[in-house]
Amino acid sequence: MSHDSQTDPDQGRAPRSETISDYRRHTDDATLRSIVKATIDGIEIEVPFGTTILDAAKTVGVTIPTLCQHDNLCIAGVCRICVVEVDGERTLHASCSYPITSPIDIRTHTQKIRQARRHILELMLSEHVGECYACCRNGHCELQKLASTYGVDFYRFGHRTEERYGRDDSSPSLVRDMDKCILCRRCVRACIDLQEVGAYNIFNRGYETKVTTFLDRPMWEAVCINCGQCINHCPTGALHSKDMSDDVWAAIDDPEKHVVIQTAPAPRAAIGECFGLEPGTPVTLQLNTAIRHCGFDRVFDTNFAADLTIMEEGAELLQRLYQAVVEEKEVALPLFTTCSPGWVKFLEYFYPEMIPHLSSAKSPQQMFGAVIKTYYAELNDIDPFDIVTVSLMPCTAKKYECNRPEFHDSGFKDVDYVLTTREMAQMIMEVGVNLPDMPESDFDDPFGKATGSGVIFGATGGVMESAIRTVYELVTGESVENLFDHLRIMPVRGFEGIKYAELEIPGTAGVPDLLKEVIPDLDWLAGKTLKVAVAHGTANAKRVLENIRRGGEFADCHFIEFMACSGGCLGGGGQPIPTNRAILEARARGIYEEDEHSSVRKSFENPAIVQLYRDFLTEGPLGSRSHELLHTSYTVRTRMMV
Amino acid sequence: MQVVYRQQIAQEIEELKQEFGSDRSALLPILHVMQERYRYIPDRVLQSIAHAFDIHPAEVEGVVSFYSFFETREKLGKYVIRLCQTISCDMVAKDNVARQLENELGIKFGETTRDGMFTLKYTNCLGLCDQGPAMLVNERLFAGVTPDMVHQILIEARRNFVRSDFPCFIPSNVCRRGPILDNGTEPGEGLRAALEQHPEEIIAIIEASQLRGRGGAGFPTAFKWQLAAQDPDEQKYVVCNADEGEPGTFKDRYLLTEHFEAVLDGMTIAAYTIGASQGYIYLRIEYLYLRDTLLAAITRRRESGLLGDKILGKEGFTFDIDIRMGAGSYVCGEETALIQSLEGERGEPRNRPPFPVDTGFFGHPTIVNNVETFLDATLIVVKGPEWFSQHGTDTSKGTKLFSISGECERPGIYELPFGTSIHDLLKEVGAEDAKAVQIGGAAGRCVSRDHFDRTLGFEDLSTGGSIIVFGPETDMLEVARNFSDFFVDESCGQCTPCRIGNVKIRECITMLEEGRCSSAYLNELIKLGDTMRLASKCGLGQAGGNAFRTIAGAFTDEILGRIPGSD
Ligand SMILES: Cc1cc2nc3c(=O)[nH]c(=O)nc-3n(C[C@H](O)[C@H](O)[C@H](O)COP(=O)(O)O)c2cc1C
Ligand code: SF4
């Protein structure tokens, strides 16, 4: 039931030089489906028409080096490291951008090619300021790796030592160190093609060319949603996240401080990659042990807060529907999710008039922070002043989110520090622990038991799936399993950029106790069809929002899940590098597996949630205490920089 | 206050969108208007344009910063003086003119006078190489500027150039005419002849003439047209490349002035042949003074049925031509960069394949041809292929226009058959004592005395027409430096070998000047030149090392072991 939006506001947005698929427009179907013969280093193969030389070479086991090429992005063909020799051509060609459309004879490592690659690499190194051992990408830098592969042992064309640009660490999420930039433009393409934010562009030309923001503003002033996709696509240390681990270590080392950490599901499905495991290998319980080994006092599962989010957001959805249908009030529908701070900031910047559509429910991270410094502090009789809340997130926008002025509802900064998956891995390595070798251990109480619903928040469509599981059952009194085999709500799963689904509410039961305060009855919902959509990557979000603006089909939706990053949290800007489609799929498998193995898979059945509403948030979802601690408001931002 | 201002700009842009269209190709025309209005492009204008076109402000800023004629930082003077710094002008004492300009205005290059009247800038080749030093004052071209003329020009500028007899328009010196320049055809004659034929027949005629592109690369014109003609796309474009940026070239400017009708005929014939309905002339901003005349000619043709709907009564044949201005970028002469620029992007060359003949302007089949190529095509259709192909050599047919400058007695435009030797050419222009000749401009190669028996033609020394003569006293290292500066300036900067390689060459030249370059390093740099030729994305980077390689190869003794300050 996926849905192709008719809107395509960014057709032709990417610089044209970067699209190689255009030739397809002028080719008939039979040709497009044909097979072409190619010879690569003497090996004859057959490839589908239009395959790039780079991809063709992979099929015969030849690795051609690349830098500006990235599976998630359109072709640039600018770094030139991937040049190969095409028989009969005067010059070498970039294999990443050369489509095979007729029989072709290719050489991938002749003397000319080797010399050209060495030269290109050495030219880059001559301009690359910085020493490898003082760089966060040391050991996993694409440039460094090539230098070692090609045996670079001296700087043939010299080596710049004085800085040209200096560092910009004004953003709470990311640091730009343009002296390490090799102008591959992957960040520019990510920010435009995937995110439609356009924080960066190429400025000037020739040797003066640089990547910068509009008016060369520092990052904190630039229109940036902090999603970190630029970081995740950067081949070098030119872009990296703002590392808070020193502050976290300081808190751990301070005996007065009670340091707790919440771990989100997406990092757990990915952190193993930093220790050489296959993407998607579940290490949740080993991670708990490793984190304790680092010195954290308690390890909690963010999933608990995810369940809480579902309760609050689900209640809000029902309330808005009731107001719209029964009370015929003007309420903002569809309701938009708010788990992804990058997405929220995107909306605040680009579609501020749609802020009322945002659910007032905080993201799980912030709910958890507030609950820890109130409920948990009370329960354990700890002064919230002494509690340091850390969260392990796949996300650089969370670093900015925890600093939003709104999030002090506990009376303190609700979440003190955010660590990305990469930073957590670094901390674990620093204490000399090999994650996969750790014994398993459980999360700490009182939030120990989370549901599968919380886990799948990590994947695109996960929030929607969890919401459906809970709302459907609360409303109809029927088991969702009757509709979806094994609770797999397939229409909202998968990596399609925009997904759409409809769900019929056959009949309704009485209002469950928990929602008594929210709505008086549910009869009005019987026979209605719930329309939902899911979009990930803010470029896709933009398509949906433009459609709503025009009164298109998405305007009739009731509930839409938006995630700033492609693939949802699994593809977050704080996740291990690289992230591509295949890796995303593997991480998703890890997450859905964890869900299937959970004993409880619906948020409202989570005993810790039930207990929280019984003992602490006694007025139930949307009650006054909930409002105080779990809900928030948003800020209109302007794109007008001048 | 601020809000009003912002709204005012937004409204101005809306109005300009009405005029230039609301797709992104309107970007450069709108930027030109705004720059003229505000004398620079304020940040708010960048932002408003971005919002008006639903693109990101950073993207617009990226486009603007690419072109050297756009200014975003500060208001330019009422008159912007751009002095040519390219080789031919450099050899005829442009430094003295520069010095005097600074003296008269009391500012340095790059600065604007306190009264906001004048801004001084250097620029690359203005296409007046036979009459240097050349200078542009807003859109007025001045040739043969001497230090004592500077004062007079500034006075006239302060008087808004009211004296209509004040010389600023310069025709070229045509020193040798041939069948092309003496063609004697009437406006529309070529087109009339063409419309009597079937498009396939026109391709056959052009093919029989063996015409190859006059812009430099020498691609067979008939083949290019045929590829575009056979594409099923309904929308196709014809583009005339009037960017003439190659240092030492000025023949296109002359053709646009004296033979424009035949060029327009050529474009229209091409449109008829491939099935295009829209044409563009991409005119370099340095030739802005020509625009109104050219537009008037286009309008006349519309009125006389040579453009527009049902051209010359031919049912279903609709074609129109518009002029689009460049904004100061040599690489925009490269056809894919030119198309990027037409689309309102940074003028960065595209990956090829796909080629413009199937994926050109906004993804549609587009043929890009040089001004001279269109002229030749017209004449071939009128006079027949043999008329053309009787001249030249086996692989390079016809006569060709050469722009000759540098140290010779008679610089100017020469129409010569392909196959002419350098030797004969030098005799003709009065430079038999030349030390070396640069064939093909900055992107070309340097030929030293002992190779003067080589000939002009695609099989030997290929050129779009630029020939620069170096006299016996020329310091070849200075020549190398001038070309190298040019490439560092003009590289689009997208690909590594060209962006950094050209800078490394320039650094090496500095080392040579200072007498501290080893032979080993020089050889390494010559090898780097090979890499640039092989691995760069476009012709600019591929040619970026040529001048250096050929000069370093032929004049090694002259450039090594210098003692700084000894001359
Ligand atoms: C850096 C560069 C600059 C160029 N400048 C021009 C130019 O100013 N005028 C031109 O006609 N062709 C220029 N060309 C060649 C064009 O790319 C293209 O080959 C030509 O316009 C095709 O026309 P033709 O086949 O009629 O020669 C340039 C090429 C390069 C690589
Ligand atoms: S060779 Fe130079 S001008 Fe051409 S694409 Fe590369 S950087 Fe740009």
Side-chain angles (χ1 to χ4, degrees):
Chain A
M1 239 195 309
S2 72
H3 184 95
D4 255 346
S5 165
Q6 287 106 31
T7 48
D8 215 351
D10 65 341
Q11 266 294 313
R13 173 63 58 83
R16 294 249 153 186
S17 60
E18 302 179 349
T19 55
I20 57 163
S21 52
D22 262 2
Y23 66 88
R24 290 168 200 277
R25 295 169 48 158
H26 307 283
T27 314
D28 58 84
D29 283 355
T31 316
L32 280 178
R33 272 183 271 110
S34 62
I35 297 290
V36 188
K37 280 200 168 65
T39 310
I40 298 183
D41 296 332
I43 306 169
E44 287 183 21
I45 52 164
E46 295 193 329
V47 294
F49 181 92
T51 307
T52 62
I53 294 178
L54 183 66
D55 288 339
K58 281 182 197 152
T59 65
V60 297
V62 173
T63 306
I64 296 175
T66 54
L67 277 171
C68 69
Q69 188 272 348
H70 193 290
D71 290 346
N72 297 353
L73 304 171
C74 63
I75 301 294
V78 298
C79 76
R80 314 306 288 176
I81 197 83
C82 73
V83 284
V84 295
E85 222 175 301
V86 175
D87 194 44
E89 299 271 328
R90 203 170 37 89
T91 62
L92 304 176
H93 279 278
S95 59
C96 67
S97 62
Y98 196 104
I100 299 175
T101 53
S102 56
I104 191 171
D105 189 353
I106 299 153
R107 305 259 145 205
T108 65
H109 55 257
T110 59
Q111 183 272 336
K112 278 183 198 167
I113 297 169
R114 290 195 320 271
Q115 169 153 327
R117 285 189 191 148
R118 272 296 287 267
H119 277 158
I120 290 167
L121 207 49
E122 282 159 351
L123 288 176
M124 284 179 184
L125 293 174
S126 75
E127 287 295 311
H128 185 78
V129 183
E131 299 299 344
C132 287
Y133 37 77
C135 177
C136 68
R137 289 292 289 270
N138 189 3
H140 30 251
C141 164
E142 294 178 35
L143 183 65
Q144 186 188 45
K145 184 148 173 272
L146 284 182
S148 113
T149 308
Y150 285 83
V152 174
D153 51 6
F154 75 112
Y155 294 121
R156 191 184 310 251
F157 300 118
H159 182 55
R160 171 186 279 280
T161 46
E162 77 282 16
E163 290 184 351
R164 251 179 119 181
Y165 304 112
R167 277 155 71 101
D168 172 6
D169 57 2
S170 63
S171 159
S173 300
L174 56 98
V175 180
R176 292 178 71 227
D177 188 353
M178 287 299 105
D179 289 302
K180 290 178 181 152
C181 173
I182 56 167
L183 287 165
C184 68
R185 308 177 173 204
R186 278 162 36 172
C187 57
V188 177
R189 283 176 281 155
C191 194
I192 296 178
D193 299 358
L194 306 180
Q195 303 304 87
E196 270 293 348
V197 174
Y200 304 123
N201 213 314
I202 302 291
F203 186 76
N204 272 335
R205 71 178 186 210
Y207 184 59
E208 301 304 318
T209 307
K210 63 174 179 177
V211 175
T212 187
T213 59
F214 182 48
L215 306 179
D216 210 10
R217 294 280 171 88
M219 281 314 284
W220 74 275
E221 271 185 64
V223 174
C224 160
I225 63 167
N226 307 62
C227 66
Q229 285 304 316
C230 53
I231 299 175
N232 247 19
H233 288 90
C234 180
T236 71
L239 287 161
H240 54 92
S241 49
K242 183 80 143 276
D243 188 351
M244 301 309 290
S245 53
D246 285 346
D247 299 75
V248 173
W249 283 124
I252 288 174
D253 294 338
D254 185 343
E256 301 292 307
K257 295 294 180 195
H258 180 75
V259 187
V260 306
I261 184 168
Q262 49 166 318
T263 71
R268 307 193 308 233
I271 195 166
E273 294 162 35
C274 302
F275 296 87
L277 297 177
E278 283 300 311
T281 313
V283 288
T284 307
L285 301 180
Q286 288 97 321
L287 181 62
N288 288 346
T289 317
I291 288 176
R292 289 196 181 91
H293 196 89
C294 291
F296 288 90
D297 295 306
R298 294 284 184 280
V299 191
F300 300 131
D301 189 342
T302 302
N303 293 347
F304 163 79
D307 284 337
L308 193 53
T309 303
I310 287 298
M311 298 308 296
E312 295 289 332
E313 216 161 72
E316 189 180 357
L317 174 65
L318 288 172
Q319 189 182 50
R320 287 201 197 188
L321 287 174
Y322 181 79
Q323 287 166 344
V325 177
V326 181
E327 298 178 351
E328 296 184 357
K329 277 193 199 156
E330 282 282 327
V331 286
L333 281 170
L335 181 70
F336 297 163
T337 62
T338 55
C339 308
S340 164
W343 142 251
V344 169
K345 202 176 179 196
F346 180 84
L347 186 97
E348 289 175 332
Y349 266 130
F350 296 96
Y351 297 85
E353 78 280 7
M354 292 199 198
I355 284 178
H357 288 264
L358 287 174
S359 160
S360 65
K362 288 181 186 174
S363 72
Q365 155 168 298
Q366 294 306 135
M367 284 200 182
F368 214 150
V371 167
I372 287 170
K373 291 200 179 176
T374 53
Y375 175 63
Y376 172 81
E378 211 172 286
L379 217 58
N380 292 280
D381 199 17
I382 309 174
D383 184 348
F385 176 82
D386 289 327
I387 300 180
V388 174
T389 47
V390 181
S391 50
L392 168 59
M393 293 285 150
C395 180
T396 53
K398 292 280 170 195
K399 288 174 184 275
Y400 131 86
E401 184 187 40
C402 78
N403 285 314
R404 280 182 71 126
E406 294 91 346
F407 296 136
H408 286 79
D409 292 330
S410 61
F412 302 90
K413 192 169 172 225
D414 295 340
V415 173
D416 292 289
Y417 304 112
V418 174
L419 296 172
T420 63
T421 313
R422 297 186 294 265
E423 289 152 10
M424 189 77 242
Q426 185 71 52
M427 287 181 73
I428 293 172
M429 285 176 200
E430 194 173 343
V431 295
V433 156
N434 187 27
L435 181 63
D437 297 341
M438 285 280 101
E440 301 187 346
S441 65
D442 237 318
F443 288 104
D444 287 302
D445 283 335
F447 313 112
K449 285 277 167 290
T451 64
S453 259
V455 176
I456 59 172
F457 260 55
T460 159
V463 179
M464 188 53 70
E465 183 162 353
S466 311
I468 291 175
R469 286 181 189 172
T470 286
V471 170
Y472 185 83
E473 205 150 318
L474 285 180
V475 166
T476 61
E478 276 185 45
S479 175
V480 192
E481 282 89 334
N482 298 345
L483 270 183
F484 296 100
D485 191 28
H486 289 93
L487 270 183
R488 295 174 192 146
I489 306 186
M490 297 312 284
V492 296
R493 291 192 186 181
F495 290 98
E496 218 125 1
I498 298 170
K499 294 168 274 186
Y500 175 84
E502 294 182 356
L503 187 73
E504 212 163 315
I505 311 271
T508 50
V511 180
D513 285 347
L514 211 51
L515 298 177
K516 281 257 156 58
E517 301 289 326
V518 180
I519 33 170
D521 71 284
L522 284 166
D523 304 340
W524 49 276
L525 256 176
K528 289 263 180 328
T529 301
L530 195 63
K531 297 176 184 168
V532 301
V534 175
H536 54 118
T538 40
N540 288 319
K542 176 174 175 162
R543 292 188 180 93
V544 172
L545 295 173
E546 286 294 332
N547 179 290
I548 293 176
R549 237 185 206 173
R550 281 201 319 271
E553 61 275 36
F554 289 107
D556 296 333
C557 278
H558 301 109
F559 192 34
I560 306 184
E561 174 200 305
F562 288 102
M563 291 288 163
C565 297
S566 282
C569 307
L570 289 175
Q575 290 283 67
I577 301 170
T579 295
N580 58 30
R581 180 67 174 262
I583 292 174
L584 276 180
E585 280 169 4
R587 290 178 191 159
R589 277 196 298 279
I591 275 196
Y592 287 115
E593 223 165 89
E594 199 173 328
D595 168 43
E596 306 249 331
H597 291 138
S598 307
S599 48
V600 185
R601 294 174 65 196
K602 297 165 200 160
S603 305
F604 70 99
E605 292 177 349
N606 181 348
I609 291 286
V610 175
Q611 191 186 347
L612 182 76
Y613 280 114
R614 196 188 57 217
D615 299 344
F616 188 65
L617 306 171
T618 48
E619 286 173 39
L622 310 187
S624 61
R625 197 150 198 190
S626 280
H627 255 292
E628 192 184 311
L629 292 177
L630 308 182
H631 289 258
T632 186
S633 58
Y634 303 95
T635 311
V636 174
R637 290 171 203 275
T638 174
R639 290 183 293 155
M640 301 294 172
M641 306 259 304
V642 281
Chain B
M1 231 346 241
Q2 284 199 339
V3 181
V4 177
Y5 187 34
R6 222 185 252 153
Q7 280 172 346
Q8 180 202 328
I9 291 175
Q11 196 187 333
E12 284 177 37
I13 289 166
E14 273 320 304
E15 282 160 15
L16 290 169
K17 273 174 84 175
Q18 304 287 326
E19 188 178 343
F20 296 111
S22 49
D23 67 59
R24 195 166 163 171
S25 68
L27 209 63
L28 257 60
I30 290 180
L31 286 166
H32 276 302
V33 173
M34 292 310 251
Q35 164 138 327
E36 203 177 311
R37 243 175 235 176
Y38 292 93
R39 285 209 250 141
Y40 77 122
I41 302 175
D43 297 343
R44 276 224 176 123
V45 170
L46 298 174
Q47 179 175 275
S48 298
I49 290 180
H51 293 162
F53 284 88
D54 193 22
I55 49 183
H56 304 290
E59 283 180 85
V60 179
E61 195 186 19
V63 171
V64 170
S65 67
F66 183 86
Y67 297 96
S68 65
F69 273 55
F70 288 139
E71 176 63 54
T72 52
R73 290 284 162 257
E74 56 186 9
K75 211 165 172 164
L76 293 167
K78 182 172 175 202
Y79 291 103
V80 183
I81 300 177
R82 297 175 201 264
L83 180 67
C84 174
Q85 62 182 355
T86 310
I87 187 79
S88 301
C89 289
D90 195 48
M91 292 194 299
V92 286
K94 74 114 192 359
D95 284 343
N96 304 61
V97 177
R99 185 67 173 267
Q100 198 52 31
L101 278 166
E102 290 182 338
N103 292 343
E104 300 288 347
L105 294 173
I107 54 170
K108 297 273 166 221
F109 273 78
E111 294 175 355
T112 300
T113 52
R114 296 268 291 277
D115 61 1
M117 280 298 277
F118 295 100
T119 300
L120 268 186
K121 280 181 182 291
Y122 281 118
T123 192
N124 288 327
C125 190
L126 288 174
L128 281 173
C129 325
D130 54 339
Q131 320 170 51
M135 186 167 107
L136 197 60
V137 181
N138 288 357
E139 77 280 0
R140 276 161 209 267
L141 274 172
F142 292 89
V145 182
T146 54
D148 74 318
M149 269 171 74
V150 166
H151 177 65
Q152 192 59 32
I153 293 174
L154 296 179
I155 288 181
E156 291 302 328
R158 286 208 169 84
R159 293 187 192 146
N160 294 322
F161 292 108
V162 283
R163 253 179 70 191
S164 56
D165 62 334
F166 192 76
C168 77
F169 177 79
I170 312 96
S172 302
N173 306 313
V174 179
C175 301
R176 163 101 174 233
R177 301 180 156 269
I180 301 285
L181 291 180
D182 283 334
N183 63 67
T185 50
E186 294 296 313
E189 191 179 338
L191 181 58
R192 277 193 188 85
L195 292 190
E196 280 162 22
Q197 316 265 355
H198 195 267
E200 282 160 21
E201 292 169 316
I202 297 177
I203 291 177
I205 293 170
I206 305 279
E207 192 174 352
S209 76
Q210 298 182 53
L211 171 63
R212 293 172 68 170
R214 269 27 190 169
F219 193 81
T221 306
F223 190 41
K224 187 184 280 188
W225 291 16
Q226 188 185 357
L227 287 172
Q230 72 198 24
D231 197 293
D233 200 331
E234 309 237 304
Q235 186 72 53
K236 299 179 191 176
Y237 297 94
V238 171
V239 175
C240 174
N241 188 342
D243 198 51
E244 189 161 65
E246 191 61 59
T249 324
F250 43 88
K251 47 103 188 166
D252 289 344
R253 185 173 56 81
Y254 174 74
L255 294 181
L256 292 172
T257 315
E258 298 294 329
H259 296 271
F260 188 49
E261 290 286 350
V263 173
L264 291 174
D265 268 343
M267 288 181 70
T268 318
I269 293 169
Y272 171 68
T273 309
I274 70 162
S277 54
Q278 179 65 48
Y280 291 102
I281 297 172
Y282 187 85
L283 183 65
R284 63 193 310 232
I285 187 73
E286 291 84 347
Y287 294 173
L288 182 62
Y289 79 94
L290 279 175
R291 184 176 58 180
D292 288 346
T293 331
L294 302 187
L295 279 175
I298 291 172
T299 309
R300 272 201 310 279
R301 282 175 80 93
R302 265 184 218 129
E303 285 159 2
S304 52
L306 294 170
L307 280 176
D309 285 338
K310 270 211 294 188
I311 291 174
L312 290 175
K314 189 92 177 174
E315 208 57 58
F317 179 34
T318 300
F319 181 64
D320 210 335
I321 296 176
D322 201 359
I323 297 180
R324 288 292 158 101
M325 301 307 298
S329 162
Y330 161 67
V331 74
C332 285
E334 197 279 342
E335 55 184 5
T336 60
L338 186 155
I339 292 170
Q340 286 283 111
S341 181
L342 279 179
E343 288 183 13
E345 304 269 2
R346 294 165 59 83
E348 294 176 344
R350 298 176 176 179
N351 293 306
R352 306 173 341 147
F355 294 93
V357 283
D358 55 71
T359 311
F361 186 55
F362 285 123
H364 299 290
T366 303
I367 56 165
V368 181
N369 278 119
N370 177 251
V371 177
E372 188 182 347
T373 311
F374 282 120
L375 169 65
D376 288 358
T378 306
L379 300 179
I380 288 165
V381 169
V382 174
K383 299 173 192 263
E386 294 78 26
W387 168 84
F388 183 81
S389 62
Q390 60 181 312
H391 304 284
T393 68
D394 280 354
T395 42
S396 313
K397 295 292 182 197
T399 53
K400 165 101 187 73
L401 300 193
F402 295 97
S403 316
I404 298 173
S405 64
E407 291 172 76
C408 57
E409 281 164 31
R410 293 174 293 279
I413 294 174
Y414 289 74
E415 180 180 346
L416 296 169
F418 273 127
T420 306
S421 71
I422 305 293
H423 207 78
D424 293 346
L425 177 106
L426 290 174
K427 196 185 274 176
E428 172 118 16
V429 304
E432 277 163 298
D433 60 347
K435 174 180 186 177
V437 195
Q438 179 78 12
I439 309 288
R445 53 194 351 270
C446 184
V447 179
S448 59
R449 257 199 110 73
D450 37 343
H451 293 106
F452 282 178
D453 55 341
R454 294 184 65 175
T455 55
L456 298 169
F458 299 111
E459 62 281 358
D460 190 3
L461 296 171
S462 171
T463 166
S466 165
I467 293 178
I468 303 167
V469 183
F470 304 121
E473 303 301 316
T474 314
D475 178 348
M476 295 313 287
L477 196 53
E478 267 177 36
V479 173
R481 161 161 292 270
N482 189 289
F483 286 143
S484 157
D485 284 345
F486 176 79
F487 283 115
V488 171
D489 243 23
E490 296 291 350
S491 159
C492 85
Q494 65 172 320
C495 70
T496 319
C498 173
R499 180 182 65 246
I500 312 179
N502 278 309
V503 172
K504 292 296 156 192
I505 289 180
R506 190 167 70 177
E507 279 172 18
C508 180
I509 291 172
T510 306
M511 288 165 76
L512 287 164
E513 283 167 356
E514 294 171 358
R516 51 181 182 88
C517 182
S518 68
S519 302
Y521 194 65
L522 183 62
N523 282 336
E524 194 63 58
L525 263 282
I526 291 175
K527 277 196 213 150
L528 175 63
D530 276 332
T531 291
M532 288 166 64
R533 181 169 56 79
L534 289 168
S536 293
K537 187 166 177 174
C538 86
L540 187 151
Q542 287 160 12
N546 286 353
F548 175 75
R549 278 190 311 141
T550 48
I551 290 175
F555 299 97
T556 325
D557 273 347
E558 184 183 327
I559 61 176
L560 278 177
R562 292 206 172 192
I563 298 167
S566 66
D567 52 24

